[in-house]
Amino acid sequence: MTEENKSEISPLDGNKKSQKNNKIKSEEKIKKNLTVLGQETEFTGELEFTDNLLVTGKFNGKINASGALEIDKTAICNVEYIKAGSVIVSGKVSGNINAEDGIEMCSGSSVHGDVVASRIRISENVDFEGSVTMLEKESSSDLFSVSSEEFKNSLLLKSDMPH
């Protein structure tokens, strides 16, 4: 696989990035590896990782991670739970998902379980059955180093709609 064909897991970022930004991002993520569980792979057990994981096969068990997790459209995951930094689901997940940064359910995906995240995006044509709990992320702004307007804006929930 050539360097230009590698895809970067970038959950919940709907903006097109310029080649310059991609280069900067890829340089920043050199330390992050992408591990792939292939389509012919069936894994049962508990996975723990800090980098990025792409599941294209079958997984049964628990996932404890601080990195990004992507469930490909060919993947089938039956889990007790998934805990990850961010989760993108294009395939099928049966079980609870907890993502500190965010969860994206892509068109054609199936999620049967409760989800907990600070941000969530559910596309059209998603089979979702479960509850949603939104996490409140603490503001990264220092109250005393920014103007009151900047601090106020940092507390507003980010969405696709203008505030």
Side-chain angles (χ1 to χ4, degrees):
M1 181 180 286
T2 66
E3 186 66 26
E4 56 199 29
N5 288 337
K6 288 184 182 177
S7 63
E8 174 183 317
I9 295 179
S10 180
L12 305 173
D13 183 12
N15 300 326
K16 297 284 183 190
K17 297 177 183 172
S18 68
Q19 286 184 346
K20 183 178 178 182
N21 284 343
N22 280 339
K23 184 176 180 180
I24 292 169
K25 289 282 187 189
S26 63
E27 287 173 4
E28 290 173 356
K29 293 197 172 202
I30 287 176
K31 295 177 184 175
K32 293 282 187 183
N33 295 316
L34 174 62
T35 302
V36 178
L37 288 180
Q39 285 187 0
E40 301 299 318
T41 303
E42 281 193 45
F43 185 93
T44 299
E46 185 170 345
L47 275 176
E48 293 185 15
F49 59 92
T50 57
D51 288 340
N52 301 322
L53 176 67
L54 171 63
V55 177
T56 62
K58 293 181 181 177
F59 177 82
N60 299 296
K62 303 174 190 175
I63 296 177
N64 284 304
S66 58
L69 172 65
E70 184 172 355
I71 310 296
D72 189 66
K73 64 183 177 181
T74 59
I76 299 171
C77 296
N78 294 304
V79 297
E80 183 177 325
Y81 62 83
I82 293 173
K83 291 181 183 176
S86 63
V87 179
I88 299 173
V89 180
S90 298
K92 295 180 179 171
V93 175
S94 179
N96 298 330
I97 304 173
N98 186 322
E100 183 179 326
D101 293 328
I103 298 172
E104 181 173 359
M105 296 179 209
C106 301
S107 182
S109 66
S110 172
V111 176
H112 291 216
D114 298 336
V115 296
V116 177
S118 58
R119 295 182 298 165
I120 186 166
R121 177 178 293 159
I122 303 176
S123 298
E124 290 183 29
N125 195 28
V126 171
D127 175 20
F128 174 60
E129 183 180 319
S131 67
V132 174
T133 302
M134 299 302 295
L135 296 173
E136 287 188 37
K137 285 192 117 178
E138 290 185 25
S139 173
S140 59
S141 301
D142 177 7
L143 175 62
F144 300 105
S145 68
V146 296
S147 71
S148 61
E149 186 65 28
E150 287 175 314
F151 185 73
K152 178 183 165 189
N153 288 337
S154 73
L155 295 176
L156 294 175
L157 290 175
K158 304 298 183 210
S159 70
D160 293 335
M161 300 172 64
H163 294 285

